[in-house]
Amino acid sequence: MKRSTILFCWIMIGAVGMWTACQQASGEDKKGFSATIEAVKQQYAPDKRVAIFDIEAVREGGQWVLKGETNLPPAREELRSRLRQAGAAFEDRIALLPAAELGDSIFAVVNNSVAN
């Protein structure tokens, strides 16, 4: 009885340790994605009035997904390149603006003197 109790305790300690390690690893992944996204944003679009770079990394079904939008194709490629070099696995759902379905209608008239 005493041996089975000790064995059970060791198994529980190991399980808790593995669970904690997995939680920390997934947190580090999020930090890594966020840091890379922020670095690319600072390089290509430091001012949100000049360029659009609104991208985030979310975990969906055990896989990282990049969601958002940008009007800078080189920034999108730089982000993808940096993440691939880091060995990160992700799905790209970043929309490039202006959207293709707009066709030639990519200009507008704004009646506000301080519009971006």
Side-chain angles (χ1 to χ4, degrees):
M1 177 72 177
K2 185 176 180 180
R3 286 185 186 186
S4 63
T5 304
I6 293 173
L7 179 63
F8 177 75
C9 289
W10 279 109
I11 290 172
M12 292 304 293
I13 289 170
V16 169
M18 287 175 53
W19 180 78
T20 304
C22 289
Q23 292 297 321
Q24 289 174 348
S26 66
E28 291 170 3
D29 288 341
K30 177 67 174 176
K31 289 178 187 175
F33 273 98
S34 297
T36 304
I37 291 169
E38 189 59 33
V40 172
K41 182 177 183 177
Q42 288 303 315
Q43 180 181 355
Y44 286 91
D47 188 356
K48 67 179 182 177
R49 295 172 294 175
V50 177
I52 299 169
F53 193 83
D54 184 23
I55 298 172
E56 66 178 343
V58 294
R59 191 111 168 134
E60 288 184 359
Q63 180 179 1
W64 288 102
V65 177
L66 297 177
K67 288 184 172 183
E69 56 192 12
T70 184
N71 66 336
L72 304 169
R76 177 183 176 212
E77 290 306 314
E78 176 73 20
L79 175 62
R80 293 169 62 186
S81 173
R82 287 187 187 190
L83 290 173
R84 282 191 199 112
Q85 286 176 352
F90 60 91
E91 180 182 341
D92 183 6
R93 291 190 201 161
I94 301 170
L96 284 176
L97 302 175
E101 59 267 3
L102 291 177
D104 293 332
S105 303
I106 59 172
F107 299 101
V109 175
V110 179
N111 292 324
N112 190 350
S113 63
V114 293
N116 294 336

